[in-house]
Amino acid sequence: MASSSSGNPNPELRKDPVWNRWVIFSPARAKRPSDFKSKSPADPNPNTTCPFCIGHEHECAPEIFRVPPDDPNWTIRVIQNLYPALSRDLPDPDPVTHTSAGSVLAGFGFHDVVIETPVHSVQLVDLSPEEIAQVFVSYTKRIQQFATRDSIKYVQVFKNHGASAGASMSHSHSQMLALPVIPPSVSVRLGSMKDYFDKMRKCCICEIQCEDLLIDSSTYFLSLVPFAAAFPFEIWIVPRYHSAHFHELDAEKAVDLGGLLKQTLRKMSVQLNNPPFNFMIHTSPLHDHGSELAYSHWFIQIVPQLIGIAGFEIGTGCYINPVFPEDAAKVLRDVNVSKSG
Ligand code: AMP
Ligand code: ZN
Ligand code: ZN
């Protein structure tokens, strides 16, 4: 368990069993944790004309479904991405071709956008737990559609909020990329969770002991700063029950998750000055071998963009985090935000 916490002046290296990668905690590089407020807060609504706003549906790529179905007063729309990274129009992919230069596969896949609200000025954090739950349920519904195809191996759900977190559109939205391959970080994560399971006969996420790292909890979920957080104020939202696949989330748990995500985002916004952030849903491959289900446990990673990554990180795959996780957790735990606001 964590050996260091507030006030430790010495650097320390940590590795957790999920990513199995060293992180250098280097408090000498930090100011106080409370000085990490974003200097470029995410501007929620600079666009004047926006294709994601209600009434502008004709400016978007085709719709896949909306909530409620067929309702002109929609609350959520799942649409095709106008500039997709992969093409849904290609035939299901050929087998991989191996050449002396490397391997090649046709760029088949799906790249969708989830418009989380009809109103331009409303952000995800402004929605009610029930409305956020509808966004999660929309992801699960779309993933279930992808799961009917053998050629789609993994679905990455992610959100970019704010220009320096990579967002090109300010209207609240997230994205889903359905891939014909299992991405390398998913293979690494599953491999290290399997190693832990083989040694301990337990799932490493079910085993998280997080008193010093806890931010909040709800009936079914915990929010916490991970033991070897790669980024300052990185947050995980973790199911308290064992589950390999995010898309098995049911409606009751989705509302519980919506409430905890809202509360966590509000805390991050208050303490870090509405920072740009990314969130990623880390789940399991669609067509898993049954054995993966025992050690693979889905979770959401939230990364506020407070410091950039540079040569050291690119060169080594190690990260330098100036804020000890226990200190970040305390900053986020100790602020009071109302659950409904
Ligand atoms: P981000 O860049 O993270 O803000 O995500 C916005 C996504 O919306 C980008 O991937 C764009 O390709 C996509 N996009 C932009 N305009 C449209 C549009 N009119 N219809 C559908 N997708 C769009
Ligand atoms: Zn808009
Ligand atoms: Zn578990």
Side-chain angles (χ1 to χ4, degrees):
M1 198 47 234
S3 59
S4 298
S5 62
S6 193
N8 183 353
N10 297 317
E12 179 176 298
L13 281 84
R14 293 186 185 180
K15 183 159 92 165
D16 68 30
V18 175
W19 299 115
N20 198 29
R21 129 196 104 186
W22 287 109
V23 177
I24 302 173
F25 291 91
S26 181
R29 296 171 66 84
K31 301 152 276 185
R32 288 160 303 176
S34 52
D35 289 339
F36 268 85
K37 288 188 183 296
S38 172
K39 286 167 200 68
S40 54
D43 182 351
N45 47 6
N47 284 21
T48 44
T49 60
C50 165
F52 293 175
C53 282
I54 194 156
H56 291 248
E57 294 81 359
H58 57 284
E59 296 168 33
C60 289
E63 179 174 300
I64 296 149
F65 62 81
R66 64 173 63 186
V67 182
D70 304 319
D71 192 335
N73 286 317
W74 53 269
T75 55
I76 294 169
R77 290 205 317 131
V78 179
I79 62 170
Q80 297 184 16
N81 193 311
L82 192 57
Y83 310 104
L86 293 168
S87 171
R88 68 193 77 216
D89 300 325
L90 291 171
D92 268 28
D94 308 310
V96 178
T97 316
H98 300 284
T99 73
S100 57
S103 305
V104 182
L105 181 64
F108 169 80
F110 297 84
H111 190 172
D112 297 343
V113 176
V114 180
I115 306 174
E116 298 158 350
T117 162
V119 182
H120 194 81
S121 57
V122 170
Q123 293 297 318
L124 188 65
V125 68
D126 303 321
L127 300 179
S128 68
E130 291 74 17
E131 289 167 329
I132 298 176
Q134 283 304 311
V135 174
F136 286 125
V137 170
S138 300
Y139 298 152
T140 64
K141 182 174 163 193
R142 187 66 178 129
I143 297 172
Q144 281 153 12
Q145 294 174 349
F146 294 135
T148 60
R149 293 174 174 264
D150 285 344
S151 50
I152 295 298
K153 308 289 191 242
Y154 189 79
V155 182
Q156 182 63 59
V157 177
F158 63 100
K159 178 174 176 70
N160 304 329
H161 170 82
S164 44
S168 57
M169 304 291 287
S170 55
H171 192 122
S172 193
H173 69 283
S174 34
Q175 298 182 60
M176 305 181 74
L177 247 171
L179 300 158
V181 293
I182 296 179
S185 80
V186 177
S187 305
V188 167
R189 171 165 53 87
L190 291 174
S192 42
M193 292 173 105
K194 180 176 188 308
D195 288 347
Y196 182 97
F197 187 84
D198 288 345
K199 268 190 230 123
M200 313 294 278
R201 306 312 301 168
K202 284 177 179 154
C203 158
C204 65
I205 291 197
C206 286
E207 285 299 292
I208 288 179
Q209 304 289 314
C210 63
E211 219 173 290
D212 293 349
L213 301 170
L214 189 68
I215 302 169
D216 273 309
S217 59
S218 64
T219 309
Y220 298 110
F221 296 90
L222 302 173
S223 67
L224 54 97
V225 178
F227 169 69
F231 307 96
F233 296 92
E234 175 182 344
I235 297 166
W236 290 4
I237 298 191
V238 173
R240 299 170 74 167
Y241 57 97
H242 184 77
S243 170
H245 284 114
F246 163 76
H247 66 271
E248 284 166 6
L249 184 75
D250 66 25
E252 182 197 352
K253 292 189 177 76
V255 174
D256 188 60
L257 177 60
L260 189 62
L261 180 69
K262 178 181 174 74
Q263 196 175 349
T264 307
L265 292 179
R266 290 195 71 214
K267 287 185 157 192
M268 194 175 82
S269 178
V270 168
Q271 292 297 64
L272 303 175
N273 194 25
N274 183 23
F277 69 86
N278 302 99
F279 81 55
M280 286 67 59
I281 298 180
H282 296 296
T283 184
S284 303
L286 289 180
H287 314 292
D288 54 85
H289 315 290
S291 60
E292 277 171 10
L293 300 176
Y295 57 79
S296 172
H297 189 135
W298 72 266
F299 63 100
I300 301 177
Q301 178 189 26
I302 305 170
V303 178
Q305 292 298 338
L306 303 169
I307 54 172
I309 65 160
F312 176 76
E313 288 81 2
I314 297 170
T316 60
C318 292
Y319 289 82
I320 301 175
N321 184 346
V323 185
F324 270 108
E326 291 77 6
D327 296 338
K330 185 166 168 35
V331 168
L332 295 168
R333 184 170 56 238
D334 287 354
V335 60
N336 268 326
V337 294
S338 73
K339 288 197 172 165
S340 51

